[in-house]
Amino acid sequence: DFIADFVNDPPGYAMERSASEARYVTLQTELDAAGKGFKAIQNIPGMRWMVPFLKTPYNSFKWSFIDRTPLGLFWGDTARKIRAEGREAEEAFARVAVGTSMATVATILTYGGVITGGGPVSRGERATDRRLGIQNYSLRIGDEYYSYAGTEPFASIIGIWADVGQIAASAH
């Protein structure tokens, strides 16, 4: 009876939690103070045309670089959840652990040529990649490349760390 009642007429706290989670996973949470500072750029005449969308890219950056890396232990919503302790802290630690693991694996697979990022900066190296059939932001399986671009929100994390791996590899 409890489950049937919960499903047919969910309590307010469950509805709010699910709405909050939906905003978070679709990168639509309200901007924090830093995000609002960036949003002020759109008030400069003409900048609205150059920066039409800010909320999703900003939240994607936070999702990838702060909520899911060791930076989150000290900054942002993740640090706030850790200070709150309990279930929120456990969830925050899990996000950092999983995100850091994904970052490490993506970087290692990039070094191994299994995952690609945005590709080389050099025009000549980009041309070589095109001739070899190497596709940006893709996963290599056998001799074929398959784009991972549509697998958000994971594509953001994988792509960012693949870029980091390619940049680090090109520095050697």
Side-chain angles (χ1 to χ4, degrees):
D1 287 341
F2 173 79
I3 293 172
D5 289 343
F6 193 94
V7 170
N8 289 324
D9 187 22
Y13 74 88
M15 294 299 292
E16 177 52 39
R17 167 78 190 210
S18 63
S20 176
E21 191 65 22
R23 284 188 299 273
Y24 179 74
V25 299
T26 59
L27 306 173
Q28 294 304 303
T29 55
E30 291 304 314
L31 296 172
D32 58 14
K36 288 177 183 173
F38 284 117
K39 188 151 181 70
I41 292 171
Q42 291 179 324
N43 296 332
I44 298 170
M47 288 303 287
R48 182 80 173 152
W49 291 96
M50 296 175 71
V51 187
F53 308 106
L54 186 73
K55 183 187 280 188
T56 302
Y58 178 79
N59 284 333
S60 177
F61 173 81
K62 277 181 40 182
W63 203 95
S64 301
F65 267 119
I66 297 169
D67 291 350
R68 284 162 176 76
T69 69
L71 288 175
L73 300 174
F74 308 103
W75 188 42
D77 293 333
T78 302
R80 181 190 52 76
K81 287 180 179 188
I82 290 169
R83 286 190 301 272
E85 298 181 347
R87 183 173 184 267
E88 282 193 335
E90 291 169 5
E91 186 177 301
F93 280 124
R95 285 180 178 167
V96 169
V98 170
T100 302
S101 298
M102 283 181 67
T104 303
V105 169
T107 304
I108 290 169
L109 291 177
T110 301
Y111 277 156
V114 176
I115 291 178
T116 63
V121 176
S122 158
R123 177 180 282 174
E125 289 177 8
R126 281 195 316 267
T128 299
D129 278 4
R130 276 194 302 277
R131 280 193 303 277
L132 294 173
I134 298 172
Q135 182 178 322
N136 292 345
Y137 298 111
S138 296
L139 169 68
R140 182 175 52 91
I141 300 173
D143 292 335
E144 295 290 322
Y145 286 85
Y146 301 92
S147 175
Y148 55 78
T151 62
E152 288 301 342
F154 301 107
S156 296
I157 294 175
I158 294 168
I160 287 169
W161 290 104
D163 286 341
V164 168
Q166 283 186 320
I167 291 166
S170 69
H172 290 106

